[in-house]
Amino acid sequence: MTTEQVLLKERRGAVICVTLNRPHAMNSLNSELRAQLTTFWREFRDDKELRVAIITGAGGRAFSSGRDFKETAIVDAEGGKLDYDATGEFGYPDAVQLGKPVIAAIDGHCLASGLRVAVACDIRIATEQSRFGNPQVTRGRGTRMPLDLAGAGLPRAVVMDMVLTGEPLSAQQALQWGLISRIVPKADLMATAWAIAEKIAGNSPAVVSGIKRAVEAGVLDLPVNEARRLYGLVTGGMMTNTQDAIEGARSFAQKRKAEFN
């Protein structure tokens, strides 16, 4: 049993930040870290006071380099199987329907299953030094990353280049192709992530969660007419005259900031 504190948490009001804390191993995802992430996403989902999560990596060299290959090699040599490979609980944010947004704050290498964690987030911001790749082909491991990258909106040619060569994208290339939404100075990364999260947390919970639920239901992957039909069914009444909508109109008329519960 490890005594390593592999997942750090910081909570500020309705926002929580979790930090992958294995900097000596490029924040690679070992069994303990994956298990703690799996538990965390469920706790985040169930905590009614939390509205937004941030995930980042410690050390400044990597968000996460992906699978812990040293751990994998040991288990392979013993003829065993890692717990997460057996259970399918890999610690990804989209493994459960959260109904709440997640922001990835990326600094350094974001590779393989580390990239898979980031792709499962709703907003991704990164430093200029960051690199995004899926080098599984260089290690002989199968990958579903073509599906994940295409789902994130990357063009097919870019996806195929990444997954067949194993070569990473620079931060500028990631921004160009829409994998990230902002490049920020290294010194400003976390302040920017917190500012985005707190901005979202101050917006209408009904609308934020409605949008997130719609995305989780896959509306962005459907033909537009089918998506329109599904949208109202999965957004939890967001399109009706909710208390948030009433407060929004009232606050506008009174020339004040809306106060949502």
Side-chain angles (χ1 to χ4, degrees):
M1 178 65 68
T2 180
T3 59
E4 185 180 30
Q5 192 174 2
V6 296
L7 191 67
L8 306 180
K9 301 176 187 177
E10 180 182 357
R11 183 168 182 161
R12 301 181 194 172
V15 179
I16 189 167
C17 178
V18 290
T19 301
L20 309 176
N21 189 41
R22 304 188 70 228
H24 59 282
M26 301 283 280
N27 298 319
S28 58
L29 302 172
N30 66 354
S31 296
E32 180 64 22
L33 182 49
R34 288 182 187 267
Q36 290 194 28
L37 280 170
T38 297
T39 298
F40 168 73
W41 297 122
R42 291 169 180 158
E43 291 174 347
F44 173 60
R45 175 196 62 190
D46 296 338
D47 190 324
K48 305 303 182 185
E49 301 300 318
L50 288 173
R51 296 182 181 178
V52 186
I54 302 166
I55 183 167
T56 192
R61 292 194 302 153
F63 174 79
S64 172
S65 60
R67 174 185 286 262
D68 185 338
F69 276 108
K70 290 183 180 179
E71 179 186 59
T72 299
I74 292 170
V75 173
D76 286 349
E78 296 171 348
K81 194 170 188 178
L82 290 162
D83 289 345
Y84 60 83
D85 281 329
T87 64
E89 294 188 330
F90 296 101
Y92 301 142
D94 57 356
V96 293
Q97 291 191 332
L98 297 173
K100 307 173 186 182
V102 182
I103 300 166
I106 300 161
D107 183 23
H109 295 287
C110 182
L111 306 174
S113 52
L115 179 57
R116 176 67 178 81
V117 171
V119 167
C121 298
D122 302 289
I123 296 173
R124 293 172 290 278
I125 66 173
T127 63
E128 185 70 51
Q129 298 79 18
S130 298
R131 296 292 181 268
F132 304 83
N134 187 60
Q136 302 297 73
V137 68
T138 70
R139 299 297 180 186
R141 298 200 69 87
T143 177
R144 298 183 180 89
M145 192 60 73
L147 305 177
D148 299 312
L149 292 172
L154 272 69
R156 178 177 295 192
V158 176
V159 171
M160 295 303 287
D161 194 324
M162 289 179 68
V163 300
L164 294 180
T165 67
E167 291 295 317
L169 297 181
S170 68
Q172 287 292 343
Q173 289 173 314
L175 181 65
Q176 175 185 354
W177 297 119
L179 184 58
I180 59 176
S181 59
R182 309 185 193 190
I183 295 176
V184 299
K186 189 180 184 79
D188 298 337
L189 178 66
M190 293 314 300
T192 302
W194 279 102
I196 296 170
E198 288 165 355
K199 172 66 175 176
I200 295 170
N203 290 335
S204 163
V207 177
V208 170
S209 63
I211 292 169
K212 173 69 177 189
R213 282 195 294 269
V215 172
E216 288 177 325
V219 297
L220 298 184
D221 303 317
L222 298 174
V224 65
N225 288 337
E226 187 176 349
R228 288 183 186 279
R229 287 193 294 271
L230 180 62
Y231 200 79
L233 300 176
V234 299
T235 53
M238 176 186 77
M239 305 302 293
T240 64
N241 199 31
T242 63
Q243 288 301 310
D244 281 4
I246 293 169
E247 166 59 13
R250 182 189 300 120
S251 63
F252 179 83
Q254 296 175 353
K255 299 181 179 180
R256 61 174 175 80
K257 183 178 179 180
E259 297 178 0
F260 301 114
N261 295 322

